[in-house]
């Protein structure tokens, strides 16, 4: 029998996102919104990325061309432009609205770090435009089969689709971090122009307020998040952040699809930031990068002392207080520690103090530094992520690709990407790192000690390095997961 031709035409997906690297990025969502649509395009999907026309987008997008124009009372001119993302060539649909999006400052905050007071109006408009494109009122000559929404800024889109009259497409809502929910006072509802009856538990209301994310989670046809384990965790306390009831109720349409990594940017064989390239069959270069890192950061150049790395936002979420609590014991093992990050002032100070106490053994760099983040991944022996929660996490995947053994808390995407060392996983070739179960200093330290003793057994250590470097964390697999989801939605 000939193979079944499941679709005669390409599936068309409007991928709506408030960020896309390199035009605008405040976190992991910017990376995902660049790589995932590119991977979807390669997988045969006709994808267009709907993005607000911030200054970075207006300046960096290529070959802009007007698609439609309208005038909104109190807002002014709103245009839809077609364009292309600079690196990938992914087609964009830009919402050009100078009154809302062309401002100095960040996408959500002004230069002083305060939220824009009209964030609800800005992202309600963005969501409404996405919904219009998915309805029979679509002003474009391209009609998507579905809309794919990402995080709270797009959360009202499924709600608008629900209330728009006439034919309309289904929606997918993806959660990249449930801690950010887009919550506004109840009187904001009027500005969104959603009907008053939408403001109840079976709608956009959330403990007396309006929640954009809850709206998305309630009205979307499918919900996804960025790892299978996080998809389970958010259906319970404490990681459900108040949404656990709704998510558990909707578990039949909720799934986790693991993020991929950019395998070109994170490739130790072609990484411009490294002093010497390396790969699984040629690890000599890794030792050279360790030496260069120790020299660069003023650490004692000791090839045989294990070097433990961290690159992270320094926030409560990331669990780095466990490292502070156990640092004396770790350093006296002996071991060296190198940390790069920015975040909460008290934690930053505590790490600076630690570095001052251990010159030559501990290096702390406060700041954002792309080059150093690559150099730490390449030069460290182990990489620590004691996160309290981690929707997916990227660094544990970069680490494995760079032959740096991850040491992680058993949460979210960390569980799905790191295989703990046990006699069984060593025997079957799957072991890639060290995983600790309970968020406590004692368990964290026990995992570090397990890792330090494995390090002293060079044969085991090389096995772990090679196991990790062989893993496939490409976007190709993740894109297949989304394609299957889209197809299930059309069935
Ligand atoms: P999150 O999105 O919660 O911050 P992820 O692990 O998903 O955590 O992604 C963080 C990304 O930001 C990674 O690519 C990491 O290397 C990078 N990063 C975090 N802090 C810094 C820093 N100070 N300098 C350079 N890169 C950083």
């Amino acid at each position: 029998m000939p193979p079944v031709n499941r679709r005669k035409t390409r599936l068309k997906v409007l991928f709506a996102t408030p960020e896309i690297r390199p035009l605008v990025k405040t976190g992991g969502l910017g990376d995902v919104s660049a790589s995932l649509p590119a991977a979807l395009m390669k997988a045969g999907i006709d994808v267009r990325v709907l993005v607000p026309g911030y200054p970075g987008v207006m300046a960096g997008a290529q070959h802009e061309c007007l698609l439609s124009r309208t005038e909104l009372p109190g807002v002014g001119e709103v245009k839809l432009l077609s364009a292309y993302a600079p690196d990938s060539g992914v087609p964009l649909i830009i919402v050009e609205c100078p009154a809302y999006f062309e401002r100095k400052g960040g996408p959500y905050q002004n230069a002083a770090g305060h939220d824009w007071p009209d964030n609800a109006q800005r992202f309600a408009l963005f969501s409404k435009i996405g919904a219009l494109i998915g309805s029979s009122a679509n002003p474009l000559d391209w009609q998507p089969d579905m809309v794919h929404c990402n995080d709270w800024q797009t959360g009202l889109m499924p709600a608008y689709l629900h209330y728009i009259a006439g034919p309309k497409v289904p929606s997918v809502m993806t959660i990249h971090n449930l801690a950010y929910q887009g919550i506004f006072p109840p009187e904001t509802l009027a500005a969104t122009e959603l009907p008053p009856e939408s403001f109840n538990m079976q709608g956009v209301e959330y403990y007396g307020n309006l929640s954009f994310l809850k709206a998305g989670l309630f009205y979307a046809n499918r919900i996804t998040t960025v790892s299978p384990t996080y998809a389970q965790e958010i259906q319970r306390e404490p990681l459900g952040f108040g949404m656990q009831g709704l998510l558990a109720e909707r578990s039949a349409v909720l799934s986790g699809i693991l993020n991929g990594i950019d395998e070109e940017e994170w490739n130790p064989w072609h990484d411009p930031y490294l002093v010497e390239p390396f790969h699984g069959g040629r690890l000599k270069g890794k030792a050279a990068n360790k030496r260069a890192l120790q020299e660069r950061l003023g650490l004692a150049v000791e090839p045989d002392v294990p070097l433990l790395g961290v690159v992270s936002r320094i926030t409560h979420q990331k669990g780095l207080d466990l490292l502070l609590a156990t640092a004396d014991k770790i350093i006296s093992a002996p071991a060296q520690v190198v940390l790069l990050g920015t975040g909460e002032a008290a934690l930053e100070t505590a790490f600076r103090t630690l570095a001052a106490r251990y010159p030559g053994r501990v290096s702390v760099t406060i700041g954002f530094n792309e080059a150093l983040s690559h150099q730490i991944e390449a030069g460290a022996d182990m990489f620590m992520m004691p996160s309290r929660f981690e929707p997916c996490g990227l660094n544990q995947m970069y680490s494995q690709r760079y032959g740096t053994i991850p040491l992680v808390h058993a949460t979210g995407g960390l569980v799905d990407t790191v295989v703990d060392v046990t006699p069984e996983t060593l025997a079957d070739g799957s072991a890639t790192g060290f995983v600790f179960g309970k968020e406590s200093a004692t368990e964290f330290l026990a995992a570090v000690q397990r890792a330090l003793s494995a390090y002293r057994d060079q044969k085991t250590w090389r096995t772990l390095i090679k196991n990790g470097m062989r893993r496939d964390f490409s976007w190709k697999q993740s894109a297949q997961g989304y394609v299957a989801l889209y197809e299930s939605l059309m069935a």
Side-chain angles (χ1 to χ4, degrees), residues 68 75 193 338 409 427 433 445 482:
S68 86
V75 178
E193 294 174 344
V338 47
H409 178 217
L445 184 61
Y482 284 102

Side-chain angles (χ1 to χ4, degrees), residues 113-393:
H114 301 297
D115 285 355
W116 295 112
D118 56 354
N119 271 345
Q121 287 85 338
R122 298 167 75 223
F123 292 105
L125 175 71
F126 182 63
S127 297
K128 194 178 291 171
I129 289 171
L132 279 175
I133 296 174
S135 76
S136 51
N138 182 7
L140 312 179
D141 61 5
W142 177 84
Q143 175 69 48
D145 295 308
M146 68 188 65
V147 297
H148 184 164
C149 308
N150 293 277
D151 275 356
W152 72 263
Q153 298 87 341
T154 60
L156 289 193
M157 209 175 292
Y160 286 123
L161 279 167
H162 177 82
Y163 284 105
I164 280 177
K168 55 220 165 180
V169 300
S171 56
V172 178
M173 181 82 228
T174 295
I175 306 164
H176 296 263
N177 190 339
L178 195 57
Y180 303 97
Q181 303 187 342
I183 294 175
F184 299 95
E187 50 280 12
T188 316
L189 186 76
T192 67
E193 294 174 344
L194 280 165
E197 65 267 25
S198 68
F199 195 76
N200 71 65
M201 255 175 78
Q202 304 297 311
V204 303
E205 185 261 358
Y206 177 72
Y207 295 103
N209 286 314
L210 164 63
S211 163
F212 277 40
L213 182 63
K214 191 228 159 170
L217 300 179
F218 184 82
Y219 289 107
N221 300 81
R222 294 282 191 284
I223 303 169
T224 75
T225 186
V226 289
S227 70
T229 296
Y230 193 59
Q232 296 303 315
E233 290 171 341
I234 57 179
Q235 296 180 48
R236 303 186 294 267
E237 283 197 58
L239 298 188
F241 287 104
M243 301 281 184
Q244 59 274 5
L246 171 60
L247 289 166
E249 225 168 80
R250 304 215 64 203
S251 64
V253 295
L254 164 63
S255 60
I257 301 175
L258 202 63
N259 281 341
I261 61 173
D262 183 333
E263 291 197 313
E264 278 171 34
E265 194 197 339
W266 291 93
N267 179 350
W269 190 240
H270 294 287
D271 186 330
Y273 298 120
L274 307 196
V275 293
E276 205 176 308
F278 59 95
H279 59 65
R282 196 172 178 282
L283 283 169
K284 192 173 71 56
K286 184 156 175 71
N289 280 289
K290 178 173 179 179
R291 184 186 176 87
L293 185 65
Q294 287 170 323
E295 282 172 351
R296 183 177 296 117
L297 297 175
L299 293 169
V301 179
E302 295 170 326
D304 298 328
V305 171
L307 178 52
L308 283 62
V310 177
V311 179
S312 181
R313 287 187 291 118
I314 310 179
T315 60
H316 183 71
Q317 177 196 337
K318 300 294 179 178
L320 294 167
D321 45 303
L322 298 188
L323 173 58
L324 286 168
T326 53
D328 292 331
K329 290 202 176 93
I330 293 172
I331 294 154
S332 64
Q336 297 182 354
V337 172
V338 47
L339 176 139
L340 165 66
T342 52
E344 291 163 16
L347 285 169
E348 286 183 357
T349 305
F351 276 108
R352 279 202 182 99
T353 308
L354 183 72
R357 275 221 321 277
Y358 289 106
R361 301 228 149 261
V362 175
S363 157
V364 168
T365 307
I366 302 297
F368 199 92
N369 186 330
E370 190 90 22
L372 186 55
S373 72
H374 284 243
Q375 288 152 357
I376 291 174
E377 285 292 6
D381 296 298
M382 302 167 205
F383 195 92
M384 295 179 282
M385 293 180 77
S387 308
R388 293 199 158 76
F389 69 94
E390 197 62 80
C392 178

